[in-house]
PDB file of all heavy atoms in Angstrom:
ATOM      1  N   ARG A 290     -14.226 -21.122  -2.811  1.00 76.00           N
ATOM      2  CA  ARG A 290     -15.053 -20.007  -3.271  1.00 76.00           C
ATOM      3  C   ARG A 290     -15.053 -18.902  -2.223  1.00 76.00           C
ATOM      4  O   ARG A 290     -14.669 -19.108  -1.079  1.00 76.00           O
ATOM      5  CB  ARG A 290     -16.489 -20.470  -3.524  1.00 76.00           C
ATOM      6  CG  ARG A 290     -16.635 -21.400  -4.717  1.00 76.00           C
ATOM      7  CD  ARG A 290     -18.065 -21.830  -4.910  1.00 76.00           C
ATOM      8  NE  ARG A 290     -18.549 -22.640  -3.783  1.00 76.00           N
ATOM      9  CZ  ARG A 290     -19.772 -23.125  -3.688  1.00 76.00           C
ATOM     10  NH1 ARG A 290     -20.660 -22.860  -4.627  1.00 76.00           N
ATOM     11  NH2 ARG A 290     -20.124 -23.851  -2.645  1.00 76.00           N
ATOM     12  N   GLY A 291     -15.487 -17.728  -2.646  1.00 90.00           N
ATOM     13  CA  GLY A 291     -15.700 -16.652  -1.691  1.00 90.00           C
ATOM     14  C   GLY A 291     -14.626 -15.598  -1.631  1.00 90.00           C
ATOM     15  O   GLY A 291     -14.758 -14.630  -0.890  1.00 90.00           O
ATOM     16  N   ILE A 292     -13.553 -15.739  -2.407  1.00 96.00           N
ATOM     17  CA  ILE A 292     -12.516 -14.703  -2.449  1.00 96.00           C
ATOM     18  C   ILE A 292     -12.695 -13.915  -3.743  1.00 96.00           C
ATOM     19  O   ILE A 292     -12.691 -14.470  -4.842  1.00 96.00           O
ATOM     20  CB  ILE A 292     -11.099 -15.310  -2.375  1.00 96.00           C
ATOM     21  CG1 ILE A 292     -10.902 -15.990  -1.022  1.00 96.00           C
ATOM     22  CG2 ILE A 292     -10.042 -14.231  -2.587  1.00 96.00           C
ATOM     23  CD1 ILE A 292      -9.575 -16.712  -0.882  1.00 96.00           C
ATOM     24  N   GLN A 293     -12.880 -12.600  -3.599  1.00 97.00           N
ATOM     25  CA  GLN A 293     -13.135 -11.765  -4.776  1.00 97.00           C
ATOM     26  C   GLN A 293     -11.867 -11.125  -5.363  1.00 97.00           C
ATOM     27  O   GLN A 293     -11.874 -10.720  -6.524  1.00 97.00           O
ATOM     28  CB  GLN A 293     -14.131 -10.653  -4.418  1.00 97.00           C
ATOM     29  CG  GLN A 293     -15.581 -11.097  -4.371  1.00 97.00           C
ATOM     30  CD  GLN A 293     -15.891 -11.972  -3.186  1.00 97.00           C
ATOM     31  OE1 GLN A 293     -15.478 -11.690  -2.070  1.00 97.00           O
ATOM     32  NE2 GLN A 293     -16.615 -13.054  -3.422  1.00 97.00           N
ATOM     33  N   GLY A 294     -10.814 -10.998  -4.561  1.00 98.00           N
ATOM     34  CA  GLY A 294      -9.637 -10.323  -5.110  1.00 98.00           C
ATOM     35  C   GLY A 294      -8.409 -10.468  -4.235  1.00 98.00           C
ATOM     36  O   GLY A 294      -8.476 -10.881  -3.075  1.00 98.00           O
ATOM     37  N   VAL A 295      -7.277 -10.132  -4.827  1.00 98.00           N
ATOM     38  CA  VAL A 295      -5.987 -10.101  -4.128  1.00 98.00           C
ATOM     39  C   VAL A 295      -5.370  -8.731  -4.368  1.00 98.00           C
ATOM     40  O   VAL A 295      -5.307  -8.255  -5.511  1.00 98.00           O
ATOM     41  CB  VAL A 295      -5.041 -11.204  -4.643  1.00 98.00           C
ATOM     42  CG1 VAL A 295      -3.667 -11.083  -3.994  1.00 98.00           C
ATOM     43  CG2 VAL A 295      -5.641 -12.579  -4.389  1.00 98.00           C
ATOM     44  N   LEU A 296      -4.957  -8.072  -3.286  1.00 98.00           N
ATOM     45  CA  LEU A 296      -4.283  -6.777  -3.378  1.00 98.00           C
ATOM     46  C   LEU A 296      -2.864  -6.972  -2.850  1.00 98.00           C
ATOM     47  O   LEU A 296      -2.677  -7.219  -1.659  1.00 98.00           O
ATOM     48  CB  LEU A 296      -5.021  -5.710  -2.560  1.00 98.00           C
ATOM     49  CG  LEU A 296      -6.454  -5.404  -3.002  1.00 98.00           C
ATOM     50  CD1 LEU A 296      -7.457  -6.230  -2.183  1.00 98.00           C
ATOM     51  CD2 LEU A 296      -6.782  -3.923  -2.843  1.00 98.00           C
ATOM     52  N   VAL A 297      -1.890  -6.862  -3.734  1.00 98.00           N
ATOM     53  CA  VAL A 297      -0.533  -7.260  -3.367  1.00 98.00           C
ATOM     54  C   VAL A 297       0.480  -6.146  -3.621  1.00 98.00           C
ATOM     55  O   VAL A 297       0.587  -5.641  -4.736  1.00 98.00           O
ATOM     56  CB  VAL A 297      -0.125  -8.553  -4.123  1.00 98.00           C
ATOM     57  CG1 VAL A 297      -0.285  -8.400  -5.626  1.00 98.00           C
ATOM     58  CG2 VAL A 297       1.302  -8.943  -3.785  1.00 98.00           C
ATOM     59  N   PRO A 298       1.244  -5.745  -2.607  1.00 98.00           N
ATOM     60  CA  PRO A 298       2.378  -4.849  -2.849  1.00 98.00           C
ATOM     61  C   PRO A 298       3.502  -5.648  -3.521  1.00 98.00           C
ATOM     62  O   PRO A 298       3.819  -6.760  -3.085  1.00 98.00           O
ATOM     63  CB  PRO A 298       2.800  -4.409  -1.431  1.00 98.00           C
ATOM     64  CG  PRO A 298       1.708  -4.890  -0.506  1.00 98.00           C
ATOM     65  CD  PRO A 298       1.076  -6.055  -1.170  1.00 98.00           C
ATOM     66  N   HIS A 299       4.081  -5.101  -4.564  1.00 98.00           N
ATOM     67  CA  HIS A 299       5.198  -5.791  -5.210  1.00 98.00           C
ATOM     68  C   HIS A 299       6.427  -5.782  -4.309  1.00 98.00           C
ATOM     69  O   HIS A 299       7.076  -6.811  -4.106  1.00 98.00           O
ATOM     70  CB  HIS A 299       5.525  -5.127  -6.548  1.00 98.00           C
ATOM     71  CG  HIS A 299       6.630  -5.809  -7.301  1.00 98.00           C
ATOM     72  ND1 HIS A 299       7.520  -5.123  -8.090  1.00 98.00           N
ATOM     73  CD2 HIS A 299       6.996  -7.112  -7.375  1.00 98.00           C
ATOM     74  CE1 HIS A 299       8.376  -5.973  -8.624  1.00 98.00           C
ATOM     75  NE2 HIS A 299       8.076  -7.184  -8.203  1.00 98.00           N
ATOM     76  N   VAL A 300       6.743  -4.602  -3.764  1.00 97.00           N
ATOM     77  CA  VAL A 300       7.924  -4.427  -2.906  1.00 97.00           C
ATOM     78  C   VAL A 300       7.506  -3.643  -1.672  1.00 97.00           C
ATOM     79  O   VAL A 300       6.754  -2.675  -1.781  1.00 97.00           O
ATOM     80  CB  VAL A 300       9.052  -3.665  -3.638  1.00 97.00           C
ATOM     81  CG1 VAL A 300      10.262  -3.476  -2.728  1.00 97.00           C
ATOM     82  CG2 VAL A 300       9.454  -4.382  -4.919  1.00 97.00           C
ATOM     83  N   GLU A 301       8.002  -4.049  -0.529  1.00 96.00           N
ATOM     84  CA  GLU A 301       7.783  -3.288   0.703  1.00 96.00           C
ATOM     85  C   GLU A 301       9.064  -2.533   1.049  1.00 96.00           C
ATOM     86  O   GLU A 301      10.078  -3.148   1.398  1.00 96.00           O
ATOM     87  CB  GLU A 301       7.386  -4.208   1.860  1.00 96.00           C
ATOM     88  CG  GLU A 301       5.949  -4.671   1.797  1.00 96.00           C
ATOM     89  CD  GLU A 301       4.959  -3.595   2.240  1.00 96.00           C
ATOM     90  OE1 GLU A 301       5.382  -2.436   2.411  1.00 96.00           O
ATOM     91  OE2 GLU A 301       3.767  -3.909   2.405  1.00 96.00           O
ATOM     92  N   GLY A 302       9.018  -1.210   0.936  1.00 93.00           N
ATOM     93  CA  GLY A 302      10.207  -0.408   1.197  1.00 93.00           C
ATOM     94  C   GLY A 302      10.657  -0.446   2.641  1.00 93.00           C
ATOM     95  O   GLY A 302      11.819  -0.169   2.936  1.00 93.00           O
ATOM     96  N   THR A 303       9.755  -0.802   3.569  1.00 93.00           N
ATOM     97  CA  THR A 303      10.123  -0.814   4.988  1.00 93.00           C
ATOM     98  C   THR A 303      10.734  -2.138   5.424  1.00 93.00           C
ATOM     99  O   THR A 303      11.188  -2.265   6.559  1.00 93.00           O
ATOM    100  CB  THR A 303       8.895  -0.525   5.864  1.00 93.00           C
ATOM    101  OG1 THR A 303       7.871  -1.488   5.572  1.00 93.00           O
ATOM    102  CG2 THR A 303       8.372   0.880   5.610  1.00 93.00           C
ATOM    103  N   THR A 304      10.742  -3.133   4.526  1.00 93.00           N
ATOM    104  CA  THR A 304      11.389  -4.410   4.826  1.00 93.00           C
ATOM    105  C   THR A 304      12.367  -4.836   3.731  1.00 93.00           C
ATOM    106  O   THR A 304      13.227  -5.682   3.977  1.00 93.00           O
ATOM    107  CB  THR A 304      10.353  -5.536   4.990  1.00 93.00           C
ATOM    108  OG1 THR A 304       9.646  -5.723   3.747  1.00 93.00           O
ATOM    109  CG2 THR A 304       9.353  -5.208   6.091  1.00 93.00           C
TER     110      THR A 304
END
Side-chain angles (χ1 to χ4, degrees):
R290 291 180 295 179
I292 295 176
Q293 281 71 44
V295 175
L296 298 95
V297 55
H299 182 214
V300 179
E301 283 283 10
T303 57
T304 63

